[in-house]
């Protein structure tokens, strides 16, 4: 795919993470990383980078996924977590909805920072 995937040097998880939480983190990461790759390949940005940071601080897991894609419009940002909303075509739009629901179920939060032409950053905080 010719995308540079970077795991931050200071990434680490040193807490004893419960098995069910591990699976939910994998669901969250899988969806957000796949979306970042899709955004870059579908829009052929000049710099093709996805950057992941994951670590825990005391009683919290911090995840940040940043891409060099085209960014999102304000309209897309407002609907990004809506069920069945997608910029990729029909019969899509369940992934970010599931991510948001999973994070909510875990008592965490997710934020999107996106600017057209500058990429997107998803920041997730989950309690341990």
């Amino acid at each position: 795919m010719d995308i540079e995937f970077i795991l931050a040097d200071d990434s680490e998880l040193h807490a004893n993470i419960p098995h069910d939480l591990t699976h939910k983190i994998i669901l969250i990461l899988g969806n957000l990383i796949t979306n970042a790759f899709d955004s870059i390949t579908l829009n052929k940005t000049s710099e093709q980078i996805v950057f992941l940071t994951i670590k825990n601080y005391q009683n919290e897991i911090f995840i940040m996924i940043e891409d060099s894609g085209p960014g999102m419009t304000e309209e897309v940002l407002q609907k990004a977590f809506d069920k069945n909303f997608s910029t990729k075509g029909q019969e899509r739009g369940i992934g970010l909805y599931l991510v948001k629901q999973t994070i909510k179920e875990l008592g965490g939060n997710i934020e999107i920072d996106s600017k057209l032409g500058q990429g997107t950053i998803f920041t997730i905080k989950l309690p341990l």
Side-chain angles (χ1 to χ4, degrees):
M1 296 179 89
D2 201 28
I3 296 172
E4 185 175 3
F5 181 76
I6 301 169
L7 177 64
D9 289 339
D10 61 342
S11 289
E12 64 179 356
L13 284 177
H14 51 81
N16 188 12
I17 300 172
H19 193 263
D20 62 325
L21 178 56
T22 300
H23 284 282
K24 290 176 181 178
I25 291 171
I26 291 169
L27 176 132
I28 292 164
L29 287 173
N31 186 279
L32 294 176
I33 291 169
T34 298
N35 282 357
F37 275 50
D38 286 349
S39 175
I40 290 171
T41 55
L42 293 173
N43 296 287
K44 292 294 179 196
T45 56
S46 59
E47 205 174 48
Q48 298 189 129
I49 299 171
V50 174
F51 189 82
L52 169 65
T53 301
I54 183 167
K55 53 178 92 176
N56 62 292
Y57 299 106
Q58 298 169 358
N59 296 324
E60 186 174 71
I61 295 174
F62 170 82
I63 301 168
M64 185 179 74
I65 298 171
E66 181 176 0
D67 69 56
S68 63
M72 296 182 212
T73 65
E74 192 60 39
E75 179 183 353
V76 171
L77 280 170
Q78 295 301 317
K79 298 178 182 180
F81 295 113
D82 290 356
K83 189 174 185 179
N84 299 320
F85 174 77
S86 176
T87 60
K88 297 186 241 177
Q90 299 291 332
E91 298 183 26
R92 311 260 326 220
I94 196 72
L96 284 180
Y97 171 78
L98 289 176
V99 165
K100 176 77 171 186
Q101 294 306 308
T102 301
I103 291 168
K104 184 178 177 181
E105 173 189 316
L106 295 170
N109 67 1
I110 182 168
E111 297 176 4
I112 307 173
D113 181 19
S114 186
K115 294 182 179 46
L116 284 176
Q118 297 181 17
T120 301
I121 302 170
F122 284 88
T123 304
I124 298 124
K125 293 178 183 173
L126 300 171
L128 275 174

